[in-house]
Amino acid sequence: MKTAVISDLHSNREALEAVFADIHRRGIRDLVCLGDVVGYGPDPEFCVDLVRGHARWCLMGNHDDALFRDASDFNPHARGAIEYTRRRLQPRWWSSAEKRSRWTWLRGLPLRVEEGRFLFVHGSPRDPVREYVLSTDGILNPDKLRSVFSSFENIAVGGHTHQPGVHDEDFRFHAPSGMAEFSFDLAPEGKYFINVGSTGQPRDGDARACYAILEETRVTWVRVEYDYRSTMDKILATGTLSEVLARRLAVGK
Ligand code: ZN
């Protein structure tokens, strides 16, 4: 059975539509989401509704969570986007049932899901919403990665860094690096930390939207072209969202 795993959509409608079309074209019916449905981008309602309607479950990301607390630990561009998103999504007493249910859904997202040999989180198993497990941790921070690896059994699957790839037990990081499709075999008894990458704001130097297809013994990352210029124009047209958030979509950084 194949499961499409999306993460870090960040209110990017064009990227999400392109990824959904690709998943549909492949005949994959099972879809899950690792969080950060909102933040950074211009289309939070659309992205929430599409994920709510189609994902079997969706986890809480740090940007989803920030809607319900103080976002002072975010950088100014990210914080501005949280305030923009909150203004659009937070219901008032006169708001429609649709708006209320969207908000209630976001507030109730789970922090982790376990299925068979896979443990799904947004960030890391020991701090599911916030901790970054970076692609460079095996080289620059092996003690941290050792500690992260000791906090789960089998295979952890996350997002959050927007950098697709997988850490193996020797802490080597295997990344799709510019390939339109890249598969990695998962040994039956192996231990791994998989990062599915970001659909709505890739940061590995590849501007194409990213998602992963998970099977029992294999993970495949897929890159999908989308019209990021439309998303950039929409970000600039808000007059509120930082132009930095638009520019980075063109370079995937
Ligand atoms: Zn994110």
Side-chain angles (χ1 to χ4, degrees):
M1 163 123 147
K2 293 183 177 183
T3 298
V5 188
I6 59 174
S7 188
D8 299 272
L9 292 45
H10 287 299
S11 300
N12 185 335
R13 173 180 181 153
E14 291 71 30
L16 185 57
E17 283 182 323
V19 161
F20 262 65
D22 192 83
I23 293 167
H24 183 71
R25 185 177 61 76
R26 291 168 191 264
I28 299 172
R29 305 297 299 271
D30 192 40
L31 170 81
V32 298
C33 175
L34 306 187
D36 275 4
V37 178
V38 301
Y40 295 136
D43 286 312
E45 294 90 350
F46 180 89
C47 293
V48 167
D49 291 349
L50 210 63
V51 171
R52 268 181 86 192
H54 294 276
R56 186 155 52 80
W57 45 257
C58 176
L59 300 179
M60 178 76 82
N62 56 316
H63 287 251
D64 313 313
D65 178 59
L67 293 173
F68 306 97
R69 59 175 185 83
D70 165 50
S72 55
D73 55 328
F74 279 44
N75 71 51
H77 310 297
R79 189 165 60 242
I82 291 299
E83 284 156 9
Y84 163 85
T85 307
R86 196 186 287 127
R87 277 197 298 277
R88 285 185 57 152
L89 295 186
Q90 186 168 25
R92 305 299 174 87
W93 62 268
W94 63 82
S95 297
S96 66
E98 184 192 23
K99 190 161 181 170
R100 285 169 193 284
S101 70
R102 209 178 267 135
W103 189 251
T104 305
W105 180 82
L106 278 164
R107 194 165 48 203
L109 295 176
L111 306 189
R112 60 173 76 214
V113 166
E114 218 169 331
E115 289 182 344
R117 67 199 291 229
F118 299 104
L119 168 66
F120 298 90
V121 290
H122 179 68
S124 99
R126 60 181 188 177
D127 182 353
V129 177
R130 263 171 281 279
E131 185 177 41
Y132 291 91
V133 180
L134 301 170
S135 56
T136 51
D137 277 348
I139 296 162
L140 301 180
N141 220 338
D143 288 344
K144 170 191 164 191
L145 196 56
R146 200 165 295 119
S147 167
V148 168
F149 261 68
S150 69
S151 70
F152 66 94
E153 317 270 325
N154 306 314
I155 301 173
V157 186
H160 194 33
T161 66
H162 301 204
Q163 296 199 333
V166 54
H167 276 110
D168 64 20
E169 268 169 293
D170 301 321
F171 298 168
R172 271 192 302 258
F173 192 71
H174 309 262
S177 338
M179 294 171 75
E181 214 169 304
F182 174 70
S183 286
F184 181 88
D185 288 329
L186 305 165
E189 303 298 321
K191 191 166 184 174
Y192 304 95
F193 193 115
I194 296 169
N195 191 307
V196 301
S198 167
T199 288
Q201 196 199 76
R203 291 180 195 158
D204 62 339
D206 187 335
R208 292 174 293 184
C210 184
Y211 75 99
I213 299 166
L214 197 58
E215 296 165 85
E216 197 55 27
T217 58
R218 180 185 300 166
V219 54
T220 302
W221 290 267
V222 180
R223 303 310 285 250
V224 185
E225 304 257 8
Y226 78 98
D227 179 14
Y228 59 76
R229 285 185 187 82
S230 291
T231 318
M232 292 171 76
D233 289 345
K234 283 194 205 170
I235 289 173
L236 297 174
T238 63
T240 312
L241 291 170
S242 161
E243 64 170 312
V244 170
L245 300 175
R247 274 199 310 246
R248 66 188 309 172
L249 295 180
V251 287
K253 283 284 186 194

XYZ file of all heavy atoms in Angstrom, residues 90-173:
700
model
N -9.508 33.357 12.431
C -10.109 33.346 13.777
C -11.565 33.791 13.729
O -11.871 34.889 13.264
C -9.334 34.272 14.709
C -9.818 34.187 16.143
C -8.860 34.877 17.111
O -8.113 35.782 16.731
N -8.870 34.450 18.342
N -12.479 32.957 14.186
C -13.895 33.325 14.120
C -14.285 34.348 15.190
O -13.697 34.397 16.255
C -14.617 31.994 14.352
C -13.626 31.093 14.979
C -12.257 31.610 14.715
N -15.279 35.181 14.867
C -15.913 36.089 15.826
C -17.287 35.518 16.130
O -17.698 34.530 15.544
C -16.052 37.500 15.238
C -14.736 38.079 14.758
C -13.740 38.199 15.902
N -12.425 38.618 15.416
C -12.045 39.876 15.257
N -12.891 40.858 15.515
N -10.848 40.160 14.812
N -18.009 36.191 17.039
C -19.281 35.600 17.450
C -20.278 35.504 16.304
O -21.180 34.683 16.312
C -19.863 36.355 18.663
C -20.181 37.806 18.404
C -19.369 38.867 18.615
C -21.404 38.332 17.898
N -19.991 40.034 18.270
C -21.253 39.732 17.831
C -22.618 37.774 17.484
C -22.260 40.573 17.356
C -23.621 38.612 17.031
C -23.436 39.994 16.969
N -20.086 36.365 15.284
C -21.029 36.342 14.160
C -20.565 35.450 12.995
O -21.228 35.354 11.990
C -21.223 37.781 13.644
C -19.964 38.399 13.105
C -19.436 38.220 11.865
C -19.059 39.260 13.788
N -18.260 38.914 11.737
C -18.009 39.575 12.898
C -19.031 39.813 15.087
C -16.933 40.406 13.247
C -17.970 40.639 15.425
C -16.934 40.927 14.525
N -19.411 34.814 13.157
C -18.844 34.065 12.036
C -19.647 32.810 11.685
O -20.368 32.265 12.523
C -17.406 33.645 12.352
O -16.591 34.764 12.523
N -19.461 32.358 10.441
C -20.189 31.180 9.950
C -19.715 29.898 10.630
O -18.608 29.841 11.180
C -19.960 31.036 8.444
O -18.596 30.739 8.205
N -20.542 28.887 10.554
C -20.193 27.574 11.107
C -18.958 27.018 10.397
O -18.124 26.353 11.006
C -21.374 26.622 10.943
N -18.839 27.315 9.110
C -17.699 26.847 8.324
C -16.391 27.407 8.892
O -15.410 26.680 9.089
C -17.885 27.315 6.872
C -16.822 26.823 5.920
C -16.887 27.532 4.569
O -17.431 28.657 4.498
O -16.387 26.960 3.595
N -16.409 28.689 9.190
C -15.209 29.341 9.722
C -14.882 28.792 11.116
O -13.716 28.552 11.440
C -15.448 30.851 9.784
C -14.214 31.648 10.092
C -14.386 33.105 9.698
C -13.103 33.873 9.995
N -13.109 35.220 9.431
N -15.906 28.582 11.919
C -15.691 28.033 13.262
C -15.101 26.634 13.207
O -14.201 26.277 13.957
C -17.021 27.929 14.018
C -17.553 29.207 14.495
C -18.996 29.028 14.999
N -19.578 30.341 15.174
C -19.296 31.142 16.186
N -18.465 30.750 17.128
N -19.831 32.330 16.263
N -15.607 25.815 12.294
C -15.165 24.413 12.276
C -13.734 24.303 11.762
O -12.969 23.446 12.197
C -16.123 23.542 11.455
O -16.011 23.842 10.097
N -13.345 25.200 10.872
C -11.960 25.252 10.397
C -10.999 25.541 11.558
O -9.972 24.899 11.735
C -11.871 26.379 9.366
C -10.832 26.200 8.320
C -10.889 27.374 7.352
N -11.735 27.129 6.201
C -12.634 27.994 5.710
N -12.826 29.164 6.275
N -13.337 27.675 4.653
N -11.382 26.511 12.369
C -10.569 26.934 13.517
C -10.487 25.819 14.558
O -9.424 25.518 15.091
C -11.206 28.196 14.103
C -10.426 28.908 15.150
C -10.720 28.971 16.486
C -9.246 29.699 14.973
N -9.803 29.757 17.136
C -8.876 30.214 16.231
C -8.448 30.017 13.864
C -7.759 31.028 16.417
C -7.339 30.829 14.048
C -7.008 31.316 15.301
N -11.614 25.178 14.822
C -11.668 24.078 15.804
C -10.818 22.906 15.327
O -10.115 22.270 16.110
C -13.132 23.613 15.989
O -13.909 24.754 16.332
C -13.258 22.564 17.069
N -10.868 22.645 14.027
C -10.069 21.552 13.447
C -8.579 21.819 13.659
O -7.832 20.949 14.110
C -10.385 21.419 11.960
C -9.619 20.337 11.256
C -9.919 18.999 11.238
C -8.425 20.497 10.461
N -8.978 18.323 10.488
C -8.057 19.209 10.002
C -7.647 21.592 10.092
C -6.942 19.002 9.194
C -6.533 21.385 9.291
C -6.188 20.097 8.853
N -8.142 23.052 13.364
C -6.717 23.395 13.518
C -6.275 23.251 14.976
O -5.198 22.736 15.262
C -6.462 24.833 13.055
C -6.280 25.031 11.543
C -6.439 26.496 11.172
C -4.920 24.520 11.084
N -7.118 23.694 15.901
C -6.745 23.672 17.317
C -6.622 22.245 17.842
O -5.894 21.973 18.786
C -7.761 24.465 18.144
C -7.268 24.759 19.539
C -8.100 25.828 20.211
N -9.520 25.551 20.062
C -10.471 26.479 20.134
N -10.156 27.737 20.324
N -11.736 26.152 20.003
N -7.343 21.320 17.229
C -7.385 19.948 17.750
C -6.436 18.975 17.055
O -6.524 17.760 17.280
N -5.523 19.474 16.228
C -4.645 18.560 15.483
C -3.765 17.760 16.445
O -3.229 18.306 17.403
C -3.762 19.353 14.498
C -4.507 20.067 13.361
C -3.534 20.894 12.533
C -5.256 19.074 12.487
N -3.569 16.473 16.187
C -2.725 15.637 17.051
C -1.239 15.930 16.858
O -0.841 16.474 15.830
C -3.063 14.214 16.592
C -3.465 14.372 15.169
C -4.142 15.721 15.059
N -0.430 15.580 17.859
C 1.008 15.872 17.814
C 1.807 14.740 17.182
O 2.917 14.961 16.697
C 1.540 16.126 19.223
C 0.821 17.191 20.051
C 1.597 17.464 21.326
C 0.646 18.481 19.257
N 1.281 13.529 17.246
C 2.002 12.386 16.671
C 1.024 11.274 16.339
O -0.038 11.175 16.955
C 3.069 11.873 17.636
C 2.501 11.411 18.958
C 3.563 10.746 19.817
N 4.454 11.709 20.428
C 5.738 11.498 20.665
N 6.299 10.371 20.323
N 6.463 12.404 21.276
N 1.401 10.455 15.367
C 0.600 9.279 15.007
C 1.570 8.127 14.786
O 2.631 8.297 14.177
C -0.228 9.532 13.717
C -0.782 8.233 13.167
C -1.365 10.508 13.977
N 1.224 6.949 15.298
C 2.050 5.767 15.104
C 1.266 4.759 14.276
O 0.103 4.478 14.559
C 2.391 5.162 16.477
C 3.794 4.639 16.545
C 4.216 4.294 17.972
O 3.696 4.926 18.915
O 5.041 3.381 18.116
N 1.909 4.233 13.214
C 1.255 3.224 12.377
C 2.291 2.177 11.994
O 3.223 2.490 11.241
C 0.660 3.870 11.117
C -0.557 4.734 11.407
C -1.194 5.335 10.158
O -0.544 5.352 9.088
O -2.337 5.788 10.258
N 2.162 0.970 12.503
C 3.128 -0.076 12.197
C 4.515 0.336 12.645
O 4.717 0.763 13.773
N 5.477 0.271 11.722
C 6.851 0.630 12.100
C 7.149 2.116 11.960
O 8.266 2.569 12.163
C 7.847 -0.197 11.263
C 7.828 0.135 9.796
C 8.450 -0.952 8.923
N 9.884 -1.069 9.089
C 10.763 -1.109 8.053
N 10.329 -1.020 6.800
N 12.036 -1.267 8.265
N 6.141 2.914 11.590
C 6.348 4.344 11.354
C 5.776 5.204 12.482
O 4.639 5.016 12.920
C 5.684 4.769 10.041
C 6.232 4.063 8.832
C 5.512 3.039 8.221
C 7.473 4.406 8.315
C 6.012 2.381 7.105
C 7.981 3.754 7.191
C 7.255 2.740 6.583
N 6.586 6.149 12.947
C 6.124 7.166 13.893
C 6.164 8.516 13.167
O 7.213 8.945 12.692
C 7.055 7.227 15.114
C 6.852 8.430 16.032
C 5.488 8.393 16.714
C 7.958 8.514 17.083
N 5.000 9.158 13.067
C 4.904 10.413 12.329
C 4.849 11.602 13.292
O 4.074 11.580 14.257
C 3.640 10.417 11.464
C 3.600 9.338 10.420
C 3.041 8.084 10.708
C 4.109 9.557 9.148
C 2.996 7.088 9.746
C 4.064 8.561 8.177
C 3.505 7.323 8.481
N 5.676 12.607 13.007
C 5.669 13.854 13.779
C 5.870 15.011 12.797
O 6.219 14.796 11.635
C 6.815 13.877 14.825
C 6.550 12.893 15.952
C 8.170 13.609 14.175
N 5.702 16.240 13.294
C 6.060 17.389 12.447
C 7.560 17.653 12.551
O 8.251 17.783 11.549
C 5.272 18.636 12.865
C 5.612 19.841 12.050
N 5.302 19.964 10.716
C 6.305 20.986 12.362
C 5.756 21.114 10.246
N 6.376 21.759 11.221
N 8.077 17.727 13.793
C 9.473 18.100 14.019
C 10.364 16.917 14.339
O 11.102 16.430 13.485
N 10.296 16.459 15.592
C 11.119 15.314 15.999
C 10.359 14.488 17.024
O 9.447 14.996 17.671
C 12.458 15.794 16.567
O 12.424 15.811 17.975
N 10.740 13.233 17.218
C 9.987 12.389 18.159
C 10.015 12.931 19.594
O 9.059 12.769 20.331
C 10.700 11.038 18.080
C 11.321 11.033 16.726
C 11.728 12.461 16.470
N 11.098 13.611 19.993
C 11.163 14.043 21.395
C 10.566 15.431 21.609
O 10.326 15.840 22.740
C 12.596 13.981 21.914
C 13.564 14.848 21.159
C 14.967 14.707 21.712
N 15.855 15.685 21.093
C 17.127 15.846 21.409
N 17.658 15.074 22.331
N 17.852 16.759 20.817
N 10.358 16.167 20.534
C 9.660 17.461 20.608
C 8.882 17.597 19.302
O 9.357 18.200 18.339
C 10.681 18.599 20.781
C 10.000 19.957 20.919
O 8.759 20.043 20.754
O 10.717 20.936 21.185
N 7.703 16.969 19.262
C 7.031 16.730 17.982
C 6.652 17.979 17.197
O 6.572 17.915 15.962
C 5.783 15.929 18.365
C 5.640 16.054 19.832
C 6.996 16.354 20.399
N 6.426 19.094 17.850
C 5.984 20.274 17.099
C 7.151 21.182 16.714
O 7.164 21.764 15.634
C 4.927 21.067 17.912
C 4.517 22.342 17.184
C 3.701 20.196 18.168
N 8.176 21.286 17.573
C 9.150 22.369 17.383
C 10.585 21.987 17.017
O 11.290 22.761 16.402
C 9.190 23.243 18.636
C 8.316 24.481 18.510
C 8.189 25.208 19.819
N 7.227 24.543 20.659
C 5.915 24.702 20.555
N 5.423 25.523 19.649
N 5.083 24.060 21.334
N 11.073 20.827 17.419
C 12.511 20.572 17.218
C 12.865 20.310 15.743
O 12.196 19.540 15.059
C 12.993 19.379 18.048
C 14.510 19.195 17.919
C 15.076 18.071 18.776
O 14.449 16.993 18.858
O 16.154 18.271 19.372
N 13.951 20.927 15.291
C 14.449 20.709 13.932
C 15.495 19.604 13.932
O 16.468 19.683 14.677
C 15.108 21.983 13.385
C 14.142 23.100 13.119
C 13.845 24.044 14.106
C 13.499 23.214 11.885
C 12.941 25.074 13.865
C 12.596 24.236 11.638
C 12.327 25.160 12.632
O 11.428 26.173 12.392
N 15.306 18.601 13.098
C 16.358 17.617 12.851
C 16.912 17.954 11.468
O 16.291 17.682 10.444
C 15.816 16.175 12.907
C 16.938 15.180 12.640
C 15.162 15.909 14.268
N 18.085 18.605 11.463
C 18.612 19.183 10.227
C 19.365 18.147 9.398
O 19.928 17.187 9.943
C 19.552 20.341 10.564
C 18.917 21.479 11.370
C 19.980 22.451 11.868
C 17.880 22.209 10.529
N 19.416 18.396 8.081
C 20.124 17.480 7.184
C 21.610 17.411 7.531
O 22.285 16.434 7.230
C 19.936 17.941 5.735
O 20.374 19.278 5.589
N 22.122 18.460 8.178
C 23.549 18.529 8.526
C 23.848 17.981 9.921
O 25.015 17.943 10.327
C 24.027 19.998 8.484
O 23.127 20.789 9.274
C 24.047 20.532 7.065
N 22.828 17.572 10.668
C 23.056 17.167 12.068
C 24.007 15.968 12.198
O 24.727 15.857 13.185
C 21.728 16.854 12.769
C 21.051 18.126 13.289
O 21.717 19.186 13.294
O 19.867 18.061 13.660
N 23.995 15.059 11.197
C 24.878 13.900 11.263
C 26.343 14.300 11.274
O 27.180 13.639 11.899
N 26.659 15.411 10.604
C 28.049 15.885 10.513
C 28.354 16.915 11.606
O 29.355 16.814 12.301
C 28.294 16.528 9.127
C 28.127 15.469 8.034
C 29.680 17.161 9.048
C 27.923 16.052 6.647
N 27.446 17.877 11.768
C 27.735 19.004 12.671
C 27.292 18.759 14.107
O 27.791 19.407 15.023
C 27.055 20.277 12.140
C 27.452 20.723 10.735
C 26.698 21.984 10.332
C 28.960 20.971 10.664
N 26.345 17.848 14.285
C 25.759 17.690 15.614
C 25.412 16.223 15.901
O 24.261 15.907 16.234
C 24.484 18.554 15.659
C 24.323 19.269 16.969
O 24.906 18.834 17.986
N 23.523 20.310 16.989
N 26.415 15.327 15.784
C 26.111 13.894 15.903
C 25.549 13.500 17.274
O 24.730 12.579 17.345
C 27.456 13.211 15.631
C 28.489 14.271 15.799
C 27.836 15.579 15.472
N 25.966 14.204 18.342
C 25.433 13.873 19.673
C 23.930 14.121 19.736
O 23.176 13.329 20.301
C 26.139 14.693 20.755
C 27.566 14.220 20.971
O 27.880 13.092 20.515
O 28.357 14.978 21.567
N 23.514 15.237 19.155
C 22.083 15.545 19.103
C 21.332 14.465 18.316
O 20.302 13.949 18.754
C 21.865 16.911 18.452
C 20.407 17.213 18.132
C 20.298 18.447 17.253
C 18.941 18.559 16.590
N 18.932 19.611 15.549
N 21.894 14.097 17.141
C 21.208 13.120 16.296
C 21.145 11.751 16.998
O 20.134 11.042 16.905
C 21.920 13.009 14.940
C 21.114 12.333 13.835
C 19.774 13.033 13.610
C 21.896 12.304 12.528
N 22.203 11.408 17.732
C 22.216 10.154 18.493
C 21.088 10.154 19.525
O 20.362 9.178 19.685
C 23.579 9.989 19.196
C 23.910 8.568 19.608
C 25.389 8.414 19.957
N 26.259 8.623 18.811
C 27.188 9.574 18.711
N 27.392 10.430 19.699
N 27.923 9.681 17.624
N 20.940 11.284 20.179
C 19.894 11.420 21.187
C 18.494 11.358 20.536
O 17.578 10.725 21.067
C 20.117 12.735 21.933
O 19.022 13.055 22.684
N 18.351 12.007 19.381
C 17.065 11.940 18.660
C 16.775 10.489 18.265
O 15.656 9.989 18.459
C 17.089 12.850 17.401
C 15.900 12.568 16.500
C 17.111 14.321 17.798
N 17.784 9.791 17.745
C 17.588 8.399 17.321
C 17.228 7.493 18.501
O 16.522 6.494 18.323
C 18.836 7.867 16.586
C 18.714 7.907 15.087
C 18.685 9.123 14.415
C 18.604 6.742 14.335
C 18.554 9.177 13.023
C 18.468 6.777 12.944
C 18.448 8.000 12.297
N 17.724 7.828 19.690
C 17.405 6.984 20.848
C 15.987 7.251 21.354
O 15.488 6.542 22.219
C 18.427 7.207 21.968
O 18.258 8.497 22.499
N 15.327 8.286 20.816
C 13.990 8.626 21.300
C 12.876 7.944 20.507
O 11.701 8.219 20.729
C 13.802 10.145 21.284
O 13.734 10.626 19.959
N 13.225 7.095 19.534
C 12.177 6.338 18.821
C 12.709 4.971 18.393
O 13.918 4.741 18.355
C 11.678 7.123 17.588
C 12.704 7.313 16.497
C 12.792 6.417 15.424
C 13.587 8.378 16.532
C 13.730 6.590 14.416
C 14.535 8.558 15.529
C 14.604 7.659 14.470
N 11.782 4.075 18.093
C 12.112 2.755 17.548
C 11.889 2.840 16.038
O 11.159 3.687 15.571
C 11.136 1.697 18.075
C 10.804 1.798 19.548
C 11.767 0.983 20.389
O 12.189 -0.076 19.893
O 12.108 1.442 21.498
N 12.460 1.968 15.294
C 12.120 1.790 13.880
C 12.284 3.044 13.011
O 13.381 3.538 12.886
C 10.717 1.203 13.742
C 10.578 -0.081 14.549
O 11.439 -0.936 14.488
N 9.514 -0.196 15.341
N 11.172 3.583 12.505
C 11.281 4.655 11.516
C 10.462 5.877 11.937
O 9.249 5.773 12.129
C 10.808 4.170 10.132
C 11.654 2.964 9.683
C 10.899 5.295 9.104
C 11.170 2.307 8.412
N 11.142 7.010 12.054
C 10.435 8.270 12.315
C 10.289 9.019 10.993
O 11.176 8.971 10.137
C 11.203 9.112 13.318
N 9.147 9.686 10.834
C 8.876 10.442 9.611
C 8.441 11.846 10.011
O 7.490 11.999 10.786
C 7.754 9.782 8.772
C 7.593 10.491 7.427
C 8.024 8.297 8.559
N 9.151 12.872 9.518
C 8.831 14.250 9.880
C 8.937 15.189 8.704
O 9.171 14.772 7.548
N 8.769 16.473 8.998
C 8.907 17.539 8.001
C 9.697 18.672 8.633
O 10.810 18.473 9.085
N 9.098 19.882 8.680
C 9.552 21.000 9.509
C 10.800 21.727 8.996
O 10.854 22.945 9.029
C 9.777 20.493 10.944
C 9.933 21.552 11.990
N 9.288 22.763 11.952
C 10.676 21.573 13.140
C 9.621 23.469 13.025
N 10.465 22.776 13.753
N 11.821 21.014 8.506
C 13.024 21.701 8.027
C 12.887 22.115 6.562
O 13.674 22.904 6.072
C 14.273 20.790 8.106
O 14.102 19.710 7.188
C 14.461 20.252 9.508
N 11.899 21.545 5.876
C 11.678 21.793 4.446
C 12.838 21.247 3.612
O 13.062 21.699 2.492
C 11.487 23.294 4.149
C 10.334 23.920 4.881
N 9.700 25.053 4.426
C 9.683 23.589 6.030
C 8.732 25.399 5.261
N 8.706 24.517 6.250
N 13.581 20.290 4.164
C 14.700 19.687 3.433
C 14.498 18.183 3.346
O 14.698 17.467 4.331
C 16.009 20.009 4.133
C 16.282 21.508 4.109
C 17.719 21.851 4.361
O 18.429 21.108 5.025
N 18.150 22.984 3.849
N 14.096 17.690 2.156
C 13.784 16.277 2.003
C 15.021 15.387 2.074
O 16.097 15.787 1.620
C 13.155 16.216 0.611
C 13.746 17.381 -0.118
C 13.948 18.451 0.910
N 14.832 14.194 2.612
C 15.929 13.228 2.656
C 15.747 12.273 3.822
O 14.728 12.302 4.512
N 16.743 11.415 4.035
C 16.631 10.433 5.118
C 17.991 10.255 5.798
O 19.024 10.146 5.124
C 16.083 9.081 4.587
C 16.885 8.550 3.418
C 16.005 8.034 5.697
N 17.964 10.261 7.129
C 19.150 9.884 7.901
C 19.117 8.379 8.130
O 18.112 7.848 8.615
C 19.152 10.577 9.269
C 19.708 11.962 9.239
N 18.935 13.091 9.405
C 20.978 12.404 9.058
C 19.713 14.160 9.327
N 20.944 13.784 9.124
N 20.223 7.687 7.792
C 20.291 6.262 8.108
C 20.937 6.081 9.480
O 21.292 7.054 10.147
C 21.015 5.484 6.995
C 22.484 5.890 6.846
O 23.060 6.459 7.802
O 23.053 5.620 5.763
N 21.110 4.814 9.886
C 21.633 4.526 11.227
C 23.062 5.007 11.427
O 23.511 5.192 12.553
C 21.574 3.021 11.481
C 20.297 2.605 12.138
C 20.141 1.093 12.134
O 19.986 0.526 11.034
O 20.194 0.506 13.226
N 23.794 5.178 10.308
C 25.162 5.701 10.397
C 25.188 7.219 10.302
O 26.250 7.818 10.135
C 26.028 5.095 9.285
C 26.065 3.578 9.381
O 26.135 3.079 10.516
O 25.994 2.904 8.326
N 23.992 7.819 10.368
C 23.817 9.271 10.354
C 24.205 9.911 9.027
O 24.512 11.083 8.958
C 24.582 9.945 11.512
C 24.091 9.515 12.876
C 24.822 9.839 14.003
C 22.911 8.805 13.029
C 24.380 9.455 15.268
C 22.456 8.414 14.281
C 23.202 8.737 15.397
N 24.254 9.094 7.974
C 24.423 9.670 6.645
C 23.076 10.179 6.164
O 22.045 9.552 6.421
C 24.965 8.628 5.663
C 26.482 8.573 5.609
C 26.921 7.748 4.410
N 26.352 6.403 4.504
C 27.028 5.328 4.908
N 28.302 5.421 5.232
N 26.442 4.148 4.962
N 23.086 11.326 5.469
C 21.844 11.904 4.956
C 21.771 11.689 3.448
O 22.663 12.100 2.710
C 21.793 13.403 5.268
C 20.438 14.014 5.034
C 19.372 13.736 5.877
C 20.226 14.873 3.959
C 18.110 14.303 5.669
C 18.970 15.446 3.748
C 17.923 15.164 4.609
